[in-house]
Amino acid sequence: MDAMTAPAPSDTPLLSIRGLGIRFRTAQGDWQATRDVSFDIARGERLGIVGESGCGKTITGLSMLRLLPPRVATVEGTIGFEGKNLVDCAARDMRRVRGRRIGMIFQEPMSALDPVFTVGDQIAESLRVHQTISKADARARAIEMLKRVGIASPERRVDDFPHQLSGGMRQRVMIAAALICQPQLLIADEPTTALDVTVQAQILDLLRELSASSDTALMLITHDIGVVAESCTRMLTMYAGEVIEDAPVDDALRRPLHPYTSGLLRSLPHLSERRSKLPSIPGRVPTLNMPTGCRFQPRCSHATQGCERPQALLDAGDRPGSGRRVRCWRFRDIDLPGVVH
Amino acid sequence: MAALAEQPIVSVRDLVVRFPTQDRRATVKAIDGVSFDVRAGETFGIIGESGSGKTTVGRTLVFLQPPTSGTMHHDGVDAASISTRELRQHRRDYQIIFQDPNAALNPRMSIVASVMEPLKLAKSGTASECRARAIAALERVGLAPETGDRYPHQLSGGQKQRVLIARALTLRPRLLVCDEVVAALDMSIRGDVLNLFAELQRDFGLTYVFITHDLSVVSHISDRIAVMYLGRFMEMGPTEPMMAQPLHPYTEALLSAEPSPLPSDLRQPRRIVLQGEIPSPIDPPSGCRFRTRCRYAQPDCATTEPVWRELTPGRFVACHYAGQPGFMSSQPTHHGSAS
Ligand SMILES: Nc1ncnc2c1ncn2[C@@H]1O[C@H](COP(=O)(O)OP(=O)(O)OP(=O)(O)O)[C@@H](O)[C@H]1O
Ligand SMILES: Nc1ncnc2c1ncn2[C@@H]1O[C@H](COP(=O)(O)OP(=O)(O)OP(=O)(O)O)[C@@H](O)[C@H]1O
Ligand code: SF4
Ligand code: SF4
Ligand SMILES: [Mg+2]
Ligand SMILES: [Mg+2]
């Protein structure tokens, strides 16, 4: 066992992100896509990340595997994982983390599978990169993995090319490829958006079961609050490149503390009469002149004097250390509706 | 209501679309006999299994996929009889927004150029007019005008999806097929986009064919819904009764699998887990094609193909036992209507 796989003391989180900020160089100048992103994931924990489209969920996941385009993206802050800082550890260490200790299922599965290699080759690839394993053994492991993700006659399917599979099967192939090295953490970016709800239910059950049986932690990025409610333990909400709320799922759904989280939940079609106008948050995220204070202020119906000050992510638990955090100084004064009201 | 007597905007009969498999030795029955009308000004939802043929139906409606057999009429005109010249104008009126924004956006074109492109091709106004309309369309879908100067790789998944919506809306088609267009959007923006769709429908009488896996979305906006499984419709009818009491076992399973966005103590465990792998569209099961996964299947389901029949006015179903007393009586209701 090498240093990379040595178990960390059980009270330290598996993953610890502090002050993560991502900047892009663009033709129009530098642009700060995320700032001050901080959160932990414990072993076996299932964290759901939700938030506005474009707020930085995918790039946060990519930065954890150092997959952002290196020439245009700069990353500051720390990503602590098994005693390493993934932001600046040696490329060699990063290669051992990627795919092996941290697996990722990408938002766009069609572009993530290579059309010229068989399904089996692609699933076995990460095994062969990380371990010396014979071709026959790798193939056997790939078949076993296909079976685990619920694909019928895996011995035949292993030789198929991606285009021979339906969307749902391709997505399961991606999941099999991500899980074959038994990662400690699986980042799943919209893993079920392209699937019908019956296949989605199967895959979510599988992810939940894997996380319970092998203590794999899950970081699930999605816009589907139902998916978060049913498969995660914690919900992290992002807005305009910042974490604005972090809470146990049921608490966040019942009583969100940030006006953005509340607005997001109130837009659920479930809560509106059929064919009625859906509530939505007025305005849009500023791109050019980001407020120096609360970034949500221009759209917030609870804004008052004081909101123009920069907002820190405050500890908001009923008791210290309960893990509820919110980036709104008024959270004690305002009472916000969640999904039940 | 009044629409009953009116001519449908699209009328499809016995539509079949087949593709050769890669080795050309067999055929994929992507659509295997589907008939339906889309009424002018309505929203027609299509839900169903991944790979069941929803996108192929959508592509056929907008002339991107020639049918293998069957007929399609647009406003009563046989689509097969339209000349190539007329087709170009005709096509403008029937647009589709695709599922995969990456495939639909040119990576070398700036966003505003992509949105302007169809306007320019249609010669609608001067370049600066087209540009102004494109920017306005981007703003309608919640994107800042500066986004126009960016390139696809610089945008998030949901931002790209909104660019496609903006592009389709600039053309103001009569029929718009939306293939999984809101899945990549956060709920607030999703709400905005759905409100925008509704507004355009009200103001310009747009007709939508809305393909999605999100049952809460499809049931919110659709007048009628069709449920697809393995190249066929299993059920079709008005939204409300279908959501409250589905007729087909597959619809029942779909509705029960929708994840519920409620705290754990308020959720009801009522998921019907579909057993078995999705059968192949190359060789669908005999008799009822849902039978390999149907928990109510009887011996005759394997031998006799259920007839597509109108069980009650406007509600169609393909199941031998649908509507019989006591059939599927342990029915879960769709939780969307519970709140
Ligand atoms: N290569 C790049 N150059 C410039 N900006 C970029 C680049 N990649 C991403 N961005 C910007 O960074 C921001 C965050 O993008 P990201 O893909 O993480 O969003 P997201 O939260 O995953 O959104 P969605 O829910 O729509 O997938 C977006 O505003 C996007 O435009
Ligand atoms: N160009 C093609 N060549 C060969 N097979 C095809 C082609 N297009 C679609 N198919 C097959 O036809 C069937 C129906 O595909 P389609 O894309 O219409 O499904 P869908 O219902 O839209 O699925 P999803 O929900 O995953 O988007 C699938 O089995 C698919 O593999
Ligand atoms: S800090 Fe002020 S503006 Fe920001 S979310 Fe809280 S109340 Fe609204
Ligand atoms: S015909 Fe038979 S197998 Fe098909 S849905 Fe009805 S009960 Fe199930
Ligand atoms: Mg994303
Ligand atoms: Mg499709």
Side-chain angles (χ1 to χ4, degrees):
Chain A
M1 198 181 268
D2 61 20
M4 290 298 296
T5 53
S10 57
D11 55 336
T12 55
L14 175 68
L15 176 88
S16 191
I17 294 186
R18 291 292 173 274
L20 187 69
I22 300 170
R23 298 180 139 273
F24 286 105
R25 200 153 0 107
T26 71
Q28 294 82 43
D30 265 21
W31 121 269
Q32 180 97 37
T34 66
R35 64 171 290 277
D36 190 26
V37 170
S38 304
F39 62 91
D40 292 343
I41 301 183
R43 268 162 218 291
E45 186 174 36
R46 302 188 306 270
L47 174 73
I49 302 190
V50 301
E52 165 244 331
S53 160
C55 66
K57 303 178 295 296
T58 297
I59 57 172
T60 298
L62 292 174
S63 71
M64 291 160 64
L65 292 172
R66 235 191 260 170
L67 291 175
L68 291 170
R71 281 193 309 280
V72 293
T74 29
V75 178
E76 63 186 22
T78 58
I79 303 175
F81 179 79
E82 297 185 330
K84 292 257 179 323
N85 175 8
L86 302 185
V87 170
D88 60 11
C89 67
R92 184 170 145 271
D93 289 337
M94 194 65 229
R95 276 197 300 274
R96 296 161 87 170
V97 168
R98 200 184 290 142
R100 180 172 171 192
R101 309 298 296 163
I102 304 182
M104 181 152 185
I105 303 168
F106 294 93
Q107 188 168 6
E108 284 143 10
M110 306 311 166
S111 15
L113 287 172
D114 193 325
V116 303
F117 290 102
T118 67
V119 161
D121 285 342
Q122 301 194 45
I123 298 177
E125 190 192 69
S126 57
L127 267 186
R128 288 166 59 78
V129 167
H130 296 298
Q131 299 165 27
T132 36
I133 176 169
S134 75
K135 224 175 158 163
D137 285 350
R139 184 186 155 87
R141 289 277 302 280
I143 291 174
E144 187 191 310
M145 214 54 231
L146 283 173
K147 199 165 165 184
R148 278 202 80 180
V149 298
I151 289 190
S153 30
E155 314 75 20
R156 265 185 28 229
R157 289 299 185 181
V158 74
D159 298 319
D160 278 355
F161 289 91
H163 69 261
Q164 289 170 293
L165 305 178
S166 78
M169 284 165 109
R170 268 182 253 182
Q171 191 60 287
R172 279 180 278 179
V173 167
M174 290 270 302
I175 294 172
L179 291 175
I180 196 161
C181 291
Q182 294 173 305
Q184 290 300 295
L185 172 65
L186 179 67
I187 305 170
D189 194 356
E190 303 278 5
T192 57
T193 317
L195 307 177
D196 70 75
V197 288
T198 65
V199 181
Q200 167 172 281
Q202 273 175 29
I203 287 185
L204 295 177
D205 289 349
L206 171 79
L207 291 179
R208 218 172 16 223
E209 177 214 307
L210 281 165
S211 120
S213 66
S214 48
D215 224 19
T216 305
L218 187 64
M219 180 172 134
L220 186 79
I221 300 171
T222 180
H223 289 301
D224 192 327
I225 299 291
V227 166
V228 175
E230 293 200 351
S231 40
C232 297
T233 45
R234 245 170 80 210
M235 180 168 115
L236 191 89
T237 312
M238 290 182 69
Y239 178 80
E242 295 180 334
V243 172
I244 52 111
E245 182 157 3
D246 179 8
V249 170
D250 286 353
D251 296 346
L253 295 178
R254 206 183 289 279
R255 190 171 168 265
L257 295 181
H258 196 285
Y260 176 72
T261 317
S262 175
L264 198 60
L265 297 176
R266 299 307 297 172
S267 315
L268 280 168
H270 305 74
L271 306 177
S272 295
E273 282 284 309
R274 204 176 87 74
R275 308 228 66 171
S276 63
K277 189 160 186 257
L278 291 164
S280 66
I281 304 163
R284 65 159 186 258
V285 188
T287 47
L288 292 181
N289 304 307
M290 192 59 83
T292 51
C294 172
R295 295 190 158 194
F296 190 56
Q297 186 193 1
R299 305 173 71 186
C300 182
S301 57
H302 299 276
T304 54
Q305 204 169 14
C307 298
E308 72 287 349
R309 288 193 305 261
Q311 297 295 314
L313 196 55
L314 305 170
D315 198 326
D318 315 331
R319 49 203 163 76
S322 68
R324 270 206 96 159
R325 298 182 301 159
V326 61
R327 201 182 284 276
C328 167
W329 70 291
R330 298 200 64 209
F331 78 91
R332 280 186 215 288
D333 307 334
I334 51 184
D335 190 19
L336 299 168
V339 293
V340 269
H341 224 66
Chain B
M1 304 294 117
L4 274 181
E6 277 168 32
Q7 190 166 57
I9 183 164
V10 189
S11 179
V12 171
R13 291 294 172 271
D14 306 315
L15 179 68
V16 172
V17 175
R18 297 210 171 107
F19 298 107
T21 54
Q22 200 66 16
D23 57 14
R24 311 215 149 248
R25 284 213 294 253
T27 51
V28 178
K29 294 167 182 144
I31 307 177
D32 199 16
V34 157
S35 301
F36 63 98
D37 290 345
V38 180
R39 300 169 191 158
E42 82 168 335
T43 302
F44 185 77
I46 305 181
I47 58 178
E49 190 93 34
S50 313
S52 61
K54 304 180 296 298
T55 298
T56 310
V57 169
R59 289 171 51 89
T60 310
L61 294 180
V62 299
F63 303 97
L64 290 175
Q65 174 64 56
T68 307
S69 67
T71 59
M72 179 167 73
H73 287 79
H74 281 177
D75 296 307
V77 178
D78 187 346
S81 73
I82 299 172
S83 74
T84 338
R85 241 188 71 241
E86 288 166 325
L87 198 58
R88 192 172 305 154
Q89 168 55 34
H90 200 70
R91 265 192 173 157
R92 236 194 101 173
D93 289 338
Y94 301 85
Q95 293 286 322
I96 185 168
I97 309 176
F98 284 110
Q99 205 167 357
D100 181 1
N102 284 320
L105 285 174
N106 183 338
R108 276 178 247 288
M109 258 191 194
S110 74
I111 296 302
V112 71
S114 277
V115 177
M116 280 166 65
E117 200 190 17
L119 286 175
K120 274 167 64 188
L121 289 176
K123 301 199 174 58
S124 313
T126 65
S128 68
E129 278 163 10
C130 289
R131 195 184 162 85
R133 273 169 69 186
I135 298 277
L138 288 172
E139 292 197 270
R140 285 297 292 268
V141 296
L143 292 172
E146 308 88 75
T147 315
D149 298 326
R150 294 202 179 184
Y151 287 83
H153 73 273
Q154 297 176 313
L155 299 190
S156 78
Q159 290 166 334
K160 280 183 277 196
Q161 191 56 266
R162 280 182 276 164
V163 171
L164 292 188
I165 296 171
R167 180 165 72 181
L169 292 178
T170 57
L171 281 177
R172 205 156 288 153
R174 294 185 53 223
L175 175 89
L176 182 60
V177 177
C178 301
D179 192 359
E180 208 61 76
V181 293
V182 294
L185 309 180
D186 70 65
M187 282 155 331
S188 173
I189 292 172
R190 188 180 302 185
D192 272 339
V193 168
L194 294 176
N195 290 341
L196 171 64
F197 280 149
E199 199 181 305
L200 294 171
Q201 185 162 56
R202 218 174 30 244
D203 296 352
F204 304 102
L206 239 75
T207 307
Y208 300 109
V209 172
F210 215 91
I211 302 170
T212 178
H213 289 303
D214 190 325
L215 300 177
S216 65
V217 166
V218 82
S219 59
H220 185 81
I221 65 159
S222 304
D223 298 288
R224 292 187 305 138
I225 295 177
V227 183
M228 263 192 113
Y229 186 83
L230 220 59
R232 285 257 176 103
F233 282 3
M234 298 290 107
E235 176 169 359
M236 176 171 79
T239 304
E240 258 148 17
M242 187 189 293
M243 292 295 135
Q245 197 171 52
L247 294 176
H248 196 281
Y250 177 59
T251 317
E252 181 193 39
L254 267 185
L255 299 190
S256 87
E258 193 201 359
S260 139
L262 291 172
S264 46
D265 55 321
L266 298 176
R267 280 200 306 270
Q268 282 147 2
R270 59 189 152 191
R271 194 172 270 175
I272 300 168
V273 180
L274 285 184
Q275 303 296 334
E277 194 38 54
I278 307 159
S280 160
I282 297 171
D283 185 21
S286 63
C288 172
R289 54 191 61 206
F290 184 57
R291 71 171 163 87
T292 54
R293 305 174 79 203
C294 179
R295 57 189 191 144
Y296 308 104
Q298 300 296 318
D300 64 330
C301 298
T303 52
T304 321
E305 204 172 322
V307 185
W308 179 243
R309 60 200 163 109
E310 190 168 7
L311 192 67
T312 57
R315 293 195 72 180
F316 294 80
V317 64
C319 165
H320 298 311
Y321 302 103
Q324 284 189 7
F327 182 63
M328 296 193 335
S329 51
S330 60
Q331 248 179 28
T333 45
H334 185 236
H335 64 74
S337 48
S339 58

